[in-house]
């Protein structure tokens, strides 16, 4: 009897010991988004199982069971579109095709412009050039002399317009012309950059790096070094560069290690931050507020019309203040990753825009005045890379090209430009202007009876679709035909610069509507009775299973 009681007591004690761990584990599981975007390991397994297959000509034009007359309309429109693009951009296309075998970047981007089932047939018949020779205002001119309205935004670099950055780079180059590309010894302009970044960020110290990805890596390293904790928290769908700890799903050959991917704008995530003792830092990408808990939109994943986007500034502000509070309470380092959105939300970035002070901020893109750069700003105690009491206890970080004179001088010109009346005038109206333009375009699309809408977070826009379709990804090619240049992610990102005038925008909007009308006229948005996004996804799942069984 005594032995039984003793065993029972031991078991009860063990359960009591395990109970907090079980509760924390359940809290962590509940704070993960139920989609594959929120479950990195599962997403990797699914990606490895996904069979590759391609549609033939019949399936390409009729995978949604469109009637023969609609398929014939699509074939005719497709052939005409391919011919126009091929004739208008022949030299640019030839140049791109010649370069592609030797440039892996081009191979990747051309492969993943559209859903993989459609890609082989489309790439054989619709060719796109990827070369420019001149820019002016909001336009880019290709090798054939074709002039596009540039909505690529240079991946976010181009905030103020092409002409501004050409001028900034020229000013910077002139400033250091007598000095040259000397590394290690600092040019005097670095001091002014540090002072201005301290003022803009509201933080104590600055370090320079070669890219935004590298800046985020260093911020996380410093957070781990000073907290002596290993885990970082990122939110579902957010992009923070391409290194392992912040991209733990498909695209990363390694499984997630010390990374928790939690639901964005959800109190269950706050509870995880409040109760766990192993979290060094929280990463915030402000752009994620445009599509919380969803991966960055790209047309390669546009298999149906379930893509949605909406920016709620008040809700995002309330959420960030909750995160700030719990990070302060728990000694967790709050990092704002403003590599993409920094300076697009205002001179003071997301901190100023949302009224929330971070512990560290990373910048990149436009801050280099057109040249590549990464920057970390942080509280003094977090930026320290060594320990006086233990001289071998360091957090090493260097880079050969950190504080490169030409980059620093171009940055100095950019930071000076922020203080000009010209830049201040753009900032004074850019938020309301962008919102009004998006609303005006949506009104035109609705009046025209087109199943397309746009959503925006200031100057970054995304396109979504209002009726189920397998062919929304075709719109990027009709937009190119109308003279609108998009990046390789297609309609997932339209990035405007602040130099876009009302006249420029009216031209862009007219071209956008015309492209949608042409696509509609060619039958791509035909809809079967009762068709739904869920039905489309189920059909694709059946295809995947059938091809997987054939392997």
């Amino acid at each position: 009897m005594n032995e039984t009681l003793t065993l029972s007591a031991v078991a009860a004690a063990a359960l009591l010991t395990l109970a907090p761990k079980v509760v924390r584990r359940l809290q962590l599981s509940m704070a993960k988004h139920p989609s594959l975007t929120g479950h990195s390991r599962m997403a990797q397994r699914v990606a490895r199982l996904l069979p590759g297959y391609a549609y033939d000509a019949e399936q390409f034009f009729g995978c949604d069971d469109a009637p023969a007359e609609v398929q014939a309309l699509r074939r005719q429109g497709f052939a005409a579109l391919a011919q126009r693009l091929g004739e208008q951009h022949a030299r640019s296309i030839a140049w791109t095709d010649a370069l592609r075998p030797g440039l892996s970047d081009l191979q990747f981007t051309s492969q993943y412009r559209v859903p993989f089932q459609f890609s082989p047939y489309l790439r054989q018949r619709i060719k796109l050039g990827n070369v420019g020779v001149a820019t002016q205002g909001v336009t880019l001119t290709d090798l054939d002399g074709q002039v596009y309205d540039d909505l690529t935004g240079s991946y976010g670099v181009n905030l103020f317009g092409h002409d501004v950055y050409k001028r900034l780079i020229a000013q910077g180059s002139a400033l250091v012309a007598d000095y040259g590309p000397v590394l290690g010894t600092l040019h005097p302009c670095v001091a002014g950059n540090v002072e201005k970044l301290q003022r803009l960020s509201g933080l104590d110290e600055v370090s320079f790096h070669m890219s935004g990805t590298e800046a985020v890596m260093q911020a996380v390293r410093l957070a781990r070094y000073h907290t002596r904790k290993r885990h970082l928290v990122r939110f579902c769908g957010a992009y923070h560069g391409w290194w392992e700890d912040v991209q733990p799903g498909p695209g990363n050959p390694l499984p997630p290690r010390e990374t928790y991917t939690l639901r964005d704008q959800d109190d269950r995530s706050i509870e995880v931050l409040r109760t766990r003792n192993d979290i060094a830092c929280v990463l915030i990408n402000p752009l994620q507020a445009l599509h919380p808990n969803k991966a960055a939109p790209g047309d390669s994943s546009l298999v149906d019309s379930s893509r949605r986007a909406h920016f709620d500034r008040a809700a995002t502000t309330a959420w960030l203040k909750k995160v700030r509070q719990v990070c302060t309470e728990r000694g967790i380092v709050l990092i704002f990753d403003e590599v993409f959105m920094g300076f697009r939300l205002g001179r003071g970035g997301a901190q100023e825009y949302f009224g929330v002070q971070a512990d560290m901020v990373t910048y990149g893109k436009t801050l280099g005045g057109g040249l590549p750069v990464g920057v970390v700003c942080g509280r003094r105690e977090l930026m320290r890379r060594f320990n006086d009491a233990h001289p071998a206890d360091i957090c090493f970080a260097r880079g050969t090209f950190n504080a490169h004179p030409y980059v620093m001088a171009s940055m100095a010109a950019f930071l000076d430009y922020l203080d000009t009346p010209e830049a201040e005038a753009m900032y004074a109206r850019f938020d309301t202007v962008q919102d009004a333009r998006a609303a005006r375009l949506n009104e035109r699309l609705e009046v025209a009876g087109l199943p397309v809408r746009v959503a925006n977070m200031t100057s970054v826009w995304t396109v979504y679709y209002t009726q189920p379709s397998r062919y929304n990804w075709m719109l990027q090619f009709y937009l190119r035909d109308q003279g609108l240049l998009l990046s390789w992610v297609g309609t997932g990102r339209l990035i405007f610069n602040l130099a876009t005038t009302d006249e420029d925008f009216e031209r862009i909007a007219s071209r956008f509507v015309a492209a949608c009308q042409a696509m509609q006229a060619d039958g791509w948005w035909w809809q079967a009775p009762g068709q739904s996004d869920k039905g489309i996804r189920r059909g694709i799942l059946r295809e995947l299973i059938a091809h997987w069984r054939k392997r």
Side-chain angles (χ1 to χ4, degrees):
M1 176 69 76
N2 289 338
E3 183 178 345
T4 302
L5 289 173
T6 301
L7 289 172
S8 298
V10 170
L15 286 173
L16 287 173
T17 302
L18 289 173
K21 295 181 180 179
V22 172
V23 169
R24 285 196 298 272
R25 180 62 204 175
L26 287 173
Q27 286 175 333
L28 182 61
S29 296
M30 293 298 292
K32 292 182 177 180
H33 197 266
S35 68
L36 285 177
T37 310
H39 289 77
S40 304
R41 291 181 187 274
M42 183 60 69
Q44 281 190 324
R45 294 189 186 104
V46 171
R48 286 193 291 267
L49 291 172
L50 194 70
Y53 62 95
Y55 289 154
D56 58 22
E58 183 176 351
Q59 294 167 316
F60 186 94
F61 294 100
C63 67
D64 59 350
D65 298 323
E69 61 270 21
V70 173
Q71 292 188 42
L73 195 63
R74 291 171 177 173
R75 288 175 184 271
Q76 182 181 352
F78 184 87
L81 176 64
Q83 182 175 355
R84 289 195 302 272
L85 290 172
E87 291 175 351
Q88 292 170 6
H89 317 293
R91 292 180 64 196
S92 297
I93 290 170
W95 182 92
T96 304
D97 284 347
L99 181 62
R100 186 176 291 109
L103 186 61
S104 60
D105 291 346
L106 274 178
Q107 296 168 31
F108 182 86
T109 55
S110 62
Q111 183 83 12
Y112 288 95
R113 280 185 175 273
V114 304
F116 69 87
Q117 300 97 328
F118 299 94
S119 184
Y121 185 91
L122 182 135
R123 282 185 287 116
Q124 291 174 10
R125 290 158 179 84
I126 288 187
K127 304 282 189 177
L128 295 179
N130 195 43
V131 54
V133 296
T135 59
Q136 184 176 12
V138 300
T139 67
L140 179 146
T141 303
D142 72 4
L143 204 57
D144 297 87
Q146 297 290 331
V147 179
Y148 299 96
D149 284 304
D150 183 8
L151 300 182
T152 69
S154 297
Y155 297 112
V157 171
N158 186 6
L159 172 60
F160 290 117
H162 292 297
D163 296 338
V164 169
Y165 291 94
K166 288 188 286 187
R167 187 169 73 242
L168 296 179
I169 291 173
Q171 290 173 358
S173 298
L175 180 63
V176 295
D178 292 336
Y179 189 59
V182 178
L183 303 176
T185 305
L186 300 177
H187 188 273
C189 70
V190 172
N193 291 346
V194 170
E195 180 184 351
K196 289 180 180 179
L197 286 168
Q198 287 172 317
R199 187 168 67 250
L200 287 170
S201 68
L203 295 164
D204 304 315
E205 295 186 10
V206 177
S207 66
F208 297 109
H209 304 273
M210 292 176 284
S211 70
T213 288
E214 188 181 278
V216 175
M217 291 173 71
Q218 173 63 356
V220 172
R221 279 167 64 94
L222 285 167
R224 286 169 165 164
Y225 175 68
H226 288 288
T227 63
R228 302 299 177 183
K229 297 172 184 178
R230 300 178 65 177
H231 283 78
L232 68 88
V233 165
R234 63 186 285 274
F235 292 105
C236 185
Y239 182 76
H240 298 283
W242 48 263
W243 59 289
E244 283 79 4
D245 282 5
V246 294
Q247 194 180 28
N252 181 357
L254 294 178
R257 295 173 296 182
E258 288 81 32
T259 302
Y260 296 139
T261 298
L262 305 183
R263 298 177 193 240
D264 201 3
Q265 301 195 24
D266 194 298
D267 285 341
R268 283 168 287 196
S269 298
I270 298 294
E271 195 60 26
V272 169
L273 296 176
R274 183 171 287 119
T275 55
R276 295 195 70 90
N277 297 314
D278 57 351
I279 297 172
C281 59
V282 173
L283 282 171
I284 299 287
N285 182 344
L287 181 58
Q288 199 60 28
L290 181 57
H291 41 78
N293 296 306
K294 293 181 175 63
D299 284 1
S300 65
S301 60
L302 199 57
V303 298
D304 60 9
S305 299
S306 59
R307 178 198 285 172
R308 286 293 181 272
H310 173 68
F311 173 50
D312 186 331
R313 183 174 180 178
T316 302
T317 300
W319 162 250
L320 291 177
K321 288 183 176 180
K322 285 183 180 181
V323 175
R324 173 69 277 177
Q325 181 178 352
V326 73
C327 286
T328 301
E329 292 170 358
R330 300 293 294 165
I332 298 169
V333 179
L334 178 59
I335 304 171
F336 276 13
D337 175 1
E338 298 203 50
V339 170
F340 191 94
M341 290 301 287
F343 306 103
R344 282 190 175 271
L345 295 174
R347 295 175 73 258
Q351 294 185 108
E352 177 184 77
Y353 192 77
F354 295 110
V356 176
Q357 179 73 53
D359 299 307
M360 305 179 84
V361 179
T362 61
Y363 298 112
K365 304 294 184 187
T366 195
L367 178 57
L371 298 181
V373 73
V375 173
V376 180
C377 300
R379 292 194 286 113
R380 193 174 308 283
E381 61 271 25
L382 293 173
M383 298 293 283
R384 195 175 181 88
R385 303 180 193 177
F386 55 89
N387 185 341
D388 286 328
H390 302 281
D393 180 14
I394 62 173
C395 181
F396 187 80
R398 277 304 302 159
T400 303
F401 288 100
N402 291 3
H404 189 288
Y406 283 84
V407 176
M408 290 295 102
S410 182
M411 181 188 296
F414 174 83
L415 291 170
D416 286 342
Y417 180 74
L418 290 183
D419 293 329
T420 64
E422 181 183 355
E424 289 179 3
M426 290 185 186
Y427 273 130
R429 57 193 292 268
F430 83 111
D431 207 350
T432 54
V433 165
Q434 295 293 326
D435 291 348
R437 287 174 177 173
R440 196 155 66 247
L441 178 54
N442 279 333
E443 183 179 0
R444 291 184 62 173
L445 292 166
E446 184 175 5
V447 169
L450 297 164
V452 182
R453 298 292 185 272
V454 297
N456 73 297
M457 182 176 181
T458 65
S459 56
V460 181
W461 296 30
T462 191
V463 179
Y464 64 96
Y465 304 86
T466 60
Q467 72 178 41
S469 174
R470 290 289 310 265
Y471 293 100
N472 294 318
W473 48 267
M474 275 295 298
L475 181 56
Q476 63 177 291
F477 302 101
Y478 283 88
L479 291 170
R480 175 71 74 97
D481 184 42
Q482 286 291 329
L484 299 182
L485 187 66
L486 278 58
S487 71
W488 69 277
V489 300
T491 61
R493 283 278 181 269
L494 312 181
I495 306 175
F496 287 87
N497 66 67
L498 303 190
T500 306
T501 65
D502 290 338
E503 182 182 0
D504 291 330
F505 181 75
E506 288 307 314
R507 180 182 66 252
I508 291 168
S510 294
R511 290 179 171 184
F512 191 97
V513 172
C516 294
Q517 289 172 327
M519 180 165 165
Q520 187 178 59
D522 286 341
W524 298 105
W525 281 316
W526 172 87
Q527 184 178 11
Q531 187 180 48
S532 67
D533 289 325
K534 184 180 290 187
I536 290 173
R537 292 193 295 272
R538 285 175 177 170
I540 295 172
L541 180 59
R542 287 193 293 269
E543 287 179 6
L544 291 169
I545 293 172
H547 285 278
W548 184 80
R549 286 174 174 170
K550 292 178 183 178
R551 295 194 312 170

